[in-house]
Amino acid sequence: MMDWGLMERNDALIKKKIYKYMLTGVMTTVALQLGNVVDAMIVGNLIGSIGNSAVTAASPFIYILQAAAILFGTGGAVIVAVFLGKRETVGAGKVMGFCIIFCIAYPLIFTAATPLTVPAFIQMMGATGQLADMLTSIATVYSFGMPIISIVIGMSYFIMVDNHPGMSAKMNIVANVVNLILDYILVRYTSMGITGAALSTVLGYVVSGAIYIPKYFRSKERMVTPVFKGSIREGKMIRATMKSGLPNLVNLILTVVSMFVINGVVLRELGGGYFSAYAVANNSLHIVQMFLSGMTTVIASVAGVLYGEKDYFGMRSVFRRVLTSAFIAGGIIMALFLAVPGLLAKMYGFDQPDILPDLETGLRVFSISFAFIILNAVLQSYYRTVGQTFLSTANISMEQVLLRIPLMLVGMHLFGFLGLFYGIIACEILTYGILNLIRFGMQKAGKVPPKGVLAIPDENSAVILDITVQGSDTAAVDVARRIRERCSEEPITPERANRLGVAAEEVITNIAKYGYQPSAKKTIDVCLSHIGDTYYLRFRDDGVPFNPLEFDFGENGEDEVHGLILLKKMAEKISYMRVINLNNTVVEIAAHEMETTGENEQKERV
């Protein structure tokens, strides 16, 4: 008998979503990082190198203030995506609810403690004179503005996951456009100086949040409604969210530690001139990150939902396409660093000609590390999404502190300023190599699925049939026939197998007729799986939002209405949800006649 199984499935639907979410993710992070890049350029050119030094030196303090947004925004978005993949909107709402609470409450603590925290930070940095004054201004403005920034950043992750990637991108773009406009005005035309640069960032988030957060909550395509009452008592969900966001929080904390150590040593050992040069290299990394971060958000947004559905085929497609796209972007940026490093230095307002040759060489050396920076970033995001928190955290720990600090300091001791970049290259290569050794050891010990780098099974063992079809009446009949053929080998009665076939024919016909324009390509993924005594028939398509159970067929839809009424009577349960801008319809039918249908509703859906 012909195998109608996994070999017929393709990633046409998933591919569309990968690139759509990747485009909006890149747009979002380009807006964020480009804001940082241009912000640094404005500060460097209007205030001077010391302005860039102040921005770089203030970064650890700002990262600490952003901790809740990173932990609960990124972690919560992954858990919400998994809940949506499981079609559990109530759980997703609870996660969003307590994440919003923590995103606001945490930075408010620092706002209240500003008179204590800001002076302590300046003392820890060992800054004096004009640099100390600038750091005080930046830290104070961010302390008061971070509650607003935190909730806008946190909501941007949830908005992206919940069918609105374009809105998330627009929210961040508007925040940074407003930031840059005010940046130039306040720094150039007022006496506020560096204080104006920090204030413009806060005002940018105020404007974008006021526009897009209400718009999201009014959207009809929104699947998740935040639940605040009792949400902070959901200990299990909070722990799962924190576990998911832990790698990003660890990354944030260890970045702060690394910055404190490296910045302090460079400033003391090499002097202010070379510290300004190092600040240019640090800021130029944003050019890589603004593409890389946007691409890796696809893993959390799309692969997170697929992981909830146990669609391992789709997850492999996401990983492969994200990594390929990231390498292409990284190669282009590397060529830029190799060709015109002096232009990069000039763009940041670097004004010390005696150090410029060393900075240009340093930027060229630094670019060699980009390939492994990409590999490590993609793996960090992927392992966090599939629940392999230890692997993600281990990667981050080595990359940010355990290997980075000693290798950069040894490199600086041996080779001076250029040794910092030799250390970064060695750190990225060793981090990737050691991570794979750890993963392989865990797979041998049975702690991680033994299926290569991705650490997921080859296929979902519950899946019986997984195919992609082009929606039409002919395809609907053919799929129904294939389902009956496959069910002949399953522990299901012929009458129930026929129900599955009829269900497939009805749903595919109606999706093709009402979910798409007549001339559109009507791609539908059909998956049949079996858990316990229940068969789950899932349909996924990228047509217009179309719930076949609620659609108004009008006066001419009598046959279709009767068909759906029949389908409702045949099935134990029918559910619909739109996730990652794909329609997902699931029909549940028991293998044998059951006394009640309620018990089926409690079973885990695949």
Side-chain angles (χ1 to χ4, degrees), residues 242-539:
M242 294 178 68
K243 180 181 178 182
S244 180
L246 181 62
N248 282 336
L249 180 62
V250 169
N251 188 21
L252 188 72
I253 294 172
L254 296 184
T255 298
V256 170
V257 172
S258 178
M259 281 184 167
F260 268 125
V261 174
I262 300 298
N263 289 355
V265 172
V266 172
L267 188 59
R268 288 193 302 270
E269 299 295 327
L270 299 181
Y274 276 104
F275 180 74
S276 294
Y278 179 63
V280 170
N282 256 344
N283 287 328
S284 67
L285 184 59
H286 291 149
I287 298 174
V288 180
Q289 292 174 334
M290 68 183 180
F291 291 99
L292 181 58
S293 298
M295 291 174 180
T296 56
T297 59
V298 177
I299 296 175
S301 301
V302 179
V305 171
L306 299 177
Y307 186 63
E309 294 181 352
K310 299 182 181 178
D311 183 355
Y312 303 129
F313 176 92
M315 291 176 66
R316 285 188 168 84
S317 175
V318 172
F319 183 88
R320 182 179 67 255
R321 294 184 183 278
V322 168
L323 188 61
T324 300
S325 300
F327 273 137
I328 292 172
I332 295 171
I333 297 169
M334 180 179 177
L336 174 69
F337 274 62
L338 291 172
V340 288
L343 178 60
L344 292 171
K346 185 177 181 180
M347 289 167 60
Y348 285 102
F350 188 74
D351 53 9
Q352 302 189 47
D354 55 324
I355 300 176
L356 181 59
D358 285 343
L359 174 56
E360 290 179 337
T361 304
L363 289 172
R364 288 191 173 103
V365 172
F366 184 34
S367 69
I368 298 172
S369 66
F370 291 172
F372 286 92
I373 287 176
I374 289 169
L375 274 172
N376 286 318
V378 172
L379 286 174
Q380 287 168 17
S381 181
Y382 173 80
Y383 285 138
R384 177 172 63 87
T385 301
V386 300
Q388 296 296 341
T389 308
F390 176 79
L391 289 175
S392 184
T393 305
N395 184 289
I396 292 167
S397 300
M398 290 185 290
E399 186 183 35
Q400 293 297 338
V401 170
L402 298 181
L403 295 177
R404 178 178 293 266
I405 291 178
L407 288 173
M408 288 183 70
L409 294 183
V410 169
M412 188 182 71
H413 178 73
L414 295 176
F415 304 103
F417 177 70
L418 295 181
L420 293 169
F421 304 105
Y422 297 145
I424 291 174
I425 294 172
C427 167
E428 295 294 339
I429 293 174
L430 286 174
T431 295
Y432 178 73
I434 294 173
L435 176 71
N436 278 283
L437 290 176
I438 294 173
R439 185 259 308 161
F440 182 76
M442 293 178 69
Q443 288 175 326
K444 293 288 287 185
K447 297 180 180 179
V448 173
K451 297 297 179 181
V453 174
L454 299 189
I456 54 176
D458 285 333
E459 59 186 60
N460 186 343
S461 60
V463 170
I464 302 166
L465 177 71
D466 197 5
I467 57 177
T468 300
V469 300
Q470 296 303 313
S472 66
D473 291 343
T474 302
V477 172
D478 189 45
V479 171
R481 176 178 58 80
R482 298 183 187 191
I483 288 174
R484 295 186 188 98
E485 289 179 358
R486 293 306 302 265
C487 285
S488 66
E489 305 170 4
E490 292 288 318
I492 183 174
T493 65
E495 185 271 335
R496 293 272 163 165
N498 185 61
R499 289 192 184 190
L500 288 169
V502 172
E505 189 171 344
E506 281 295 331
V507 175
I508 292 172
T509 298
N510 281 291
I511 289 174
K513 187 172 184 179
Y514 298 102
Y516 291 89
Q517 294 295 324
S519 60
K521 187 175 182 179
K522 307 167 184 180
T523 304
I524 305 172
D525 286 344
V526 183
C527 179
L528 175 64
S529 58
H530 178 205
I531 293 181
D533 195 49
T534 302
Y535 285 77
Y536 299 85
L537 189 55
R538 185 185 70 222
F539 305 88

Side-chain angles (χ1 to χ4, degrees), residues 500-579:
L500 288 169
V502 172
E505 189 171 344
E506 281 295 331
V507 175
I508 292 172
T509 298
N510 281 291
I511 289 174
K513 187 172 184 179
Y514 298 102
Y516 291 89
Q517 294 295 324
S519 60
K521 187 175 182 179
K522 307 167 184 180
T523 304
I524 305 172
D525 286 344
V526 183
C527 179
L528 175 64
S529 58
H530 178 205
I531 293 181
D533 195 49
T534 302
Y535 285 77
Y536 299 85
L537 189 55
R538 185 185 70 222
F539 305 88
R540 179 194 288 152
D541 69 89
D542 65 339
V544 297
F546 173 70
N547 185 344
L549 303 179
E550 297 178 355
F551 187 75
D552 182 7
F553 294 98
E555 296 180 358
N556 298 320
E558 184 176 352
D559 291 340
E560 286 82 0
V561 171
H562 289 165
L564 288 174
I565 291 174
L566 175 63
L567 177 59
K568 290 180 180 180
K569 291 181 178 180
M570 290 192 305
E572 271 66 49
K573 180 180 178 182
I574 305 174
S575 57
Y576 168 85
M577 183 177 292
R578 188 167 176 88
V579 188

